[in-house]
Amino acid sequence: MNKTIKCIAAGLGLAQLVLMGGQTKAQEVQSLNEVVIAATKNNQKQAQTGKVVSVITREELERSAGRNLAELLNQQAGINVVGAGSNYGKDKSVFFRGAGSAYAVILVDGIPVTDPSGTGGAFDLRMFAIDQIDHIEILRGGQSTLYGSDAVAGVINIITKKTGTKGNNVYGVASAGSYNSYKGTIGLSSKVDAFTYNVSYSHFKTDGISEAANPEGNTQVFDKDGVKQDALNANFSLQLDKRLSINPFLRYFYGKFNYDAGPFADANNTSTVKHFNGGLNAQYQLDKGKITLNYSYENTGRVYKSSFPGQYQGRMNLVDLFYNQNLGEKVNLLVGLDNRSTDVTYYGNVLKRPNTNLFSTYGSLFLHDLSIFNLEVGGRYNKHNKYGENYTYAVTPSLNIIKEVKLFGTVSSAFRAPTLDMLFGQYGANLNLKPEKATNYEAGASFNFLKEKISLRAVAFKRDMTDAINYGATGYINQDKQKDRGFEIEPGVTFSKFTVKGYYAYVEGKQTSGNTVTDFLLRRPKNTYGVNAGVQATKELYLSANYKFTGQRVDSDFSSYPSVNKMLGSYRLLDFYAEYALAKKRIKIFADLKNLTDEKYAEIIGYSTMGFNMNAGVSFNFK
């Protein structure tokens, strides 16, 4: 199907109808410097921390009904999600500040999530429905002192919807769109005395398009590669007394994804994922402190049906116990311990269930509002049952020169423990692997003028990695070194009814593998930039447009051996969104036009262009 036909087909697709909600309250105007960041574990205000933090607000999420989580993260400075613009079922890989995939930690409500059943162990972004998210915190830079393994380039904290008010509050989403796409969410929240709950269920199905590109001159029709997924998210809260609260949660995800045999080879392959995550958060409030307990159990099963079939079952038990103490008005102490036990079952001729255990203790001292000075100093000790011990540290000072100007910087170390697949897998396993190590440096400044109507943040960073794990002729070995550096610029302007936010991100790197030195980073572009412009045209009508440019980058064609590197062309994505509010914002009519991918990108990678997708809908709330 050529590009013209695909664009026409998309334009004739069914319009999307959305019935979404929850009790929608008017957005309170809040200073950015007053926003509290939960992912720091100290509940710090942005003005008090030197860490580079971005927040995707509830309002932004409500105006992203036509997008998924991967697409939303792909619009953030320094983050490139490979596959975000491809077919819905295509796996999504997060590349953060030039680091490879799986070098960023995903948190859900402050608790790390992972997938031991996968090769890299990274959390699958396809598992989370955007309609179940309240807001998202993004911490850039090495965060291993707080969050341990894999937090080499950053942390993404997904905070789910929890708030309940008295009475029965029902919200939902129902949609239909191009390519026989259907989406639905139904949720219920309430508060009864000291008990609060928020439960939601989401379903998504699409026929999609062929994941493989049909070679020129081939008359065979490639089948479509669709997706079917279901997600359940439930949060509960019980305030036992004025000091103690217990907050259980459970999540379930089922996904079935069709995929092809290669860039230009059609196939009837499928992968099935079943994921369960349950646990609790408990907090005990002291006069000048707080004790927090997080427990999480994850179980992920994957089945691949193809010419290379496989079945895997991964599990993780996590306990994170930490204590915050106020040592006066301007000094806070954080101490904690963390234990993660992971195992995976490989189903095949020989059934194996290897496991690892990583125990850690950590601490941080936070000095804030000392005239114009803030400082955070922390360290972490890790004990792994296979490779032994390692340590990390972080030093983060900041200066609030005046209310409108802040200077900040960080020197930190981070690490990534070898995955179960690297230590015990079926191909190239090596029990003698050491953790990958990284040293991070960053410095920058932020400016906010005219009551934060004009803002600018500029950050430069450098990261040196050693003992990086490479798959060589004998299997996995600690061999690679990588040096990355770059910068990010994020301006923003709010004037009357207009809001414009933009960014430019640059990253370059050099990788040493044995005697081979390369001066490029696979799949990571040197240049990306984007802009989001919105206008509250009338009291009822909101309009916005989002644009992103992704520059040239190098990828490898793994269909041949040895693999051949190719330069991929740059591409651009442009979305439009409109929303009309009625009945005091309890009823909303919206439309979204989205360019899902780009022809040049598709030709080289091998995934067909989806063209444009037109969505329209109505949202409302019940109480």
Side-chain angles (χ1 to χ4, degrees):
M1 184 182 289
N2 60 39
K3 186 173 183 178
T4 302
I5 295 174
K6 280 181 288 188
C7 289
I8 294 173
L12 295 175
L14 294 174
Q16 185 180 55
L17 172 65
V18 174
L19 313 173
M20 52 182 273
Q23 180 67 18
T24 303
K25 297 181 179 180
Q27 294 291 323
E28 295 182 2
V29 177
Q30 188 175 20
S31 166
L32 291 176
N33 286 325
E34 296 301 313
V35 174
V36 175
I37 308 302
T40 61
K41 290 190 175 182
N42 265 316
N43 290 340
Q44 298 165 252
K45 296 178 181 178
Q46 279 194 314
Q48 298 174 327
T49 178
K51 295 181 178 180
V52 182
V53 183
S54 298
V55 178
I56 303 174
T57 65
R58 179 187 306 172
E59 186 177 28
E60 291 176 89
L61 284 160
E62 289 176 349
R63 290 172 173 167
S64 301
R67 303 185 180 101
N68 56 44
L69 180 57
E71 291 169 335
L72 194 62
L73 293 174
N74 196 46
Q75 297 169 359
Q76 308 303 312
I79 299 179
N80 188 45
V81 182
V82 174
S86 299
N87 203 17
Y88 286 108
K90 181 74 176 69
D91 56 307
K92 318 301 179 185
S93 302
V94 180
F95 292 87
F96 211 133
R97 277 189 168 180
S101 177
Y103 288 80
V105 166
I106 306 296
L107 311 174
V108 177
D109 295 328
I111 302 176
V113 289
T114 186
D115 180 10
S117 70
T119 301
F123 181 74
D124 192 337
L125 292 179
R126 297 173 298 179
M127 291 184 182
F128 226 102
I130 197 171
D131 310 298
Q132 299 174 340
I133 301 173
D134 183 83
H135 65 281
I136 301 172
E137 301 172 344
I138 300 172
L139 275 68
R140 294 170 174 82
Q143 306 294 335
S144 281
T145 294
L146 283 182
Y147 289 105
S149 178
D150 302 352
V152 172
V155 166
I156 299 170
N157 187 22
I158 300 167
I159 299 178
T160 60
K161 292 180 178 179
K162 301 183 189 65
T163 305
T165 57
K166 291 183 178 180
N168 293 319
N169 304 286
V170 181
Y171 57 94
V173 173
S175 67
S178 302
Y179 314 109
N180 288 323
S181 300
Y182 302 94
K183 179 181 178 181
T185 294
I186 185 69
L188 178 66
S189 67
S190 185
K191 181 177 182 181
V192 181
D193 297 327
F195 179 66
T196 303
Y197 66 88
N198 192 310
V199 180
S200 62
Y201 165 76
S202 295
H203 172 78
F204 175 69
K205 178 184 178 298
T206 180
D207 289 348
I209 61 171
S210 173
E211 199 178 57
N214 203 330
E216 186 176 351
N218 184 25
T219 59
Q220 177 189 358
V221 177
F222 283 9
D223 68 344
K224 296 179 180 180
D225 297 303
V227 177
K228 179 183 178 182
Q229 55 189 50
D230 298 274
L232 173 68
N233 183 65
N235 293 290
F236 308 92
S237 179
L238 181 61
Q239 190 74 40
L240 296 177
D241 58 35
K242 67 178 182 179
R243 293 183 181 270
L244 178 62
S245 65
I246 298 178
N247 312 291
F249 64 86
L250 64 89
R251 306 179 189 100
Y252 177 79
F253 174 88
Y254 168 85
K256 183 178 181 180
F257 309 98
N258 298 331
Y259 64 99
D260 288 320
F264 304 98
D266 191 29
N268 190 27
N269 299 332
T270 63
S271 67
T272 303
V273 180
K274 294 180 181 180
H275 174 81
F276 172 80
N277 181 203
L280 64 84
N281 161 270
Q283 295 183 0
Y284 187 79
Q285 194 72 41
L286 303 171
D287 291 338
K288 294 185 178 181
K290 180 174 65 176
I291 300 172
T292 302
L293 169 66
N294 290 324
Y295 169 72
S296 174
Y297 170 75
E298 288 187 88
N299 189 320
T300 306
R302 294 183 179 271
V303 178
Y304 297 91
K305 294 182 179 180
S306 69
S307 54
F308 300 95
Q311 183 176 354
Y312 313 91
Q313 193 84 21
R315 290 156 289 263
M316 181 179 76
N317 276 283
L318 179 145
V319 178
D320 185 18
L321 176 66
F322 57 94
Y323 170 62
N324 299 89
Q325 175 67 41
N326 297 326
L327 303 175
E329 294 182 356
K330 299 183 178 182
V331 183
N332 300 92
L333 175 67
L334 167 70
V335 293
L337 57 85
D338 177 322
N339 191 80
R340 307 178 192 187
S341 176
T342 57
D343 69 79
V344 62
T345 301
Y346 297 99
Y347 296 91
N349 295 330
V350 179
L351 185 64
K352 297 193 300 182
R353 188 173 175 176
N355 65 86
T356 60
N357 193 84
L358 178 61
F359 173 79
S360 306
T361 59
Y362 57 91
S364 181
L365 188 64
F366 176 47
L367 294 84
H368 57 92
D369 302 317
L370 300 176
S371 181
I372 63 172
F373 184 63
N374 303 294
L375 176 66
E376 185 174 356
V377 181
R380 187 183 189 100
Y381 164 78
N382 306 284
K383 174 70 174 180
H384 194 277
N385 67 325
K386 299 300 179 185
Y387 68 70
E389 302 174 337
N390 69 302
Y391 307 85
T392 63
Y393 64 88
V395 180
T396 305
S398 65
L399 291 172
N400 295 315
I401 303 299
I402 55 176
K403 183 180 179 181
E404 295 81 7
V405 180
K406 182 172 73 172
L407 305 179
F408 52 85
T410 295
V411 179
S412 65
S413 61
F415 77 103
R416 183 175 185 239
T419 66
L420 286 163
D421 189 71
M422 296 171 181
L423 294 170
F424 306 101
Q426 298 167 303
Y427 307 101
N430 181 0
L431 273 172
N432 296 317
L433 291 173
K434 299 181 292 183
E436 302 177 81
K437 301 173 185 176
T439 304
N440 296 273
Y441 309 89
E442 63 182 43
S446 64
F447 307 89
N448 292 286
F449 300 106
L450 300 179
K451 296 182 179 179
E452 300 190 359
K453 291 182 179 180
I454 299 176
S455 63
L456 175 67
R457 181 168 66 189
V459 186
F461 65 89
K462 182 176 182 291
R463 179 175 54 250
D464 297 334
M465 288 194 65
T466 59
D467 292 329
I469 297 174
N470 174 48
Y471 193 90
T474 60
Y476 288 107
I477 55 174
N478 290 101
Q479 183 186 49
D480 288 5
K481 296 180 181 180
Q482 184 175 319
K483 294 181 180 293
D484 306 325
R485 60 180 181 178
F487 61 88
E488 299 153 1
I489 300 174
E490 298 175 83
V493 177
T494 300
F495 177 72
S496 184
K497 299 178 181 180
F498 296 88
T499 300
V500 179
K501 295 181 180 180
Y503 68 87
Y504 172 73
Y506 175 85
V507 64
E508 64 178 12
K510 181 178 292 186
Q511 185 169 325
T512 303
S513 182
N515 296 321
T516 303
V517 179
T518 56
D519 60 354
F520 58 82
L521 301 173
L522 286 177
R523 301 184 179 179
R524 283 149 279 179
K526 285 188 176 182
N527 299 282
T528 58
Y529 57 84
V531 62
N532 181 274
V535 56
Q536 193 71 47
T538 68
K539 183 178 181 180
E540 296 84 11
L541 179 62
Y542 177 80
L543 303 170
S544 70
N546 188 83
Y547 171 84
K548 179 173 182 177
F549 171 85
T550 300
Q552 292 183 332
R553 59 255 181 258
V554 175
D555 203 350
S556 286
D557 181 1
F558 295 103
S559 63
S560 60
Y561 183 83
S563 60
V564 178
N565 292 331
K566 295 182 179 181
M567 178 64 74
L568 309 184
S570 61
Y571 67 99
R572 300 161 180 81
L573 298 175
L574 180 63
D575 302 341
F576 295 98
Y577 179 87
E579 177 183 276
Y580 191 80
L582 300 171
K584 298 181 180 180
K585 298 186 178 182
R586 293 194 64 186
I587 300 175
K588 296 180 181 179
I589 303 171
F590 70 87
D592 182 66
L593 176 65
K594 177 168 55 180
N595 183 355
L596 293 179
T597 189
D598 177 86
E599 191 70 31
K600 290 183 179 179
Y601 179 70
E603 287 176 353
I604 301 174
I605 288 291
Y607 296 103
S608 301
T609 301
M610 293 187 74
F612 297 92
N613 193 4
M614 180 69 179
N615 305 298
V618 178
S619 68
F620 60 90
N621 314 296
F622 299 102
K623 182 174 181 180

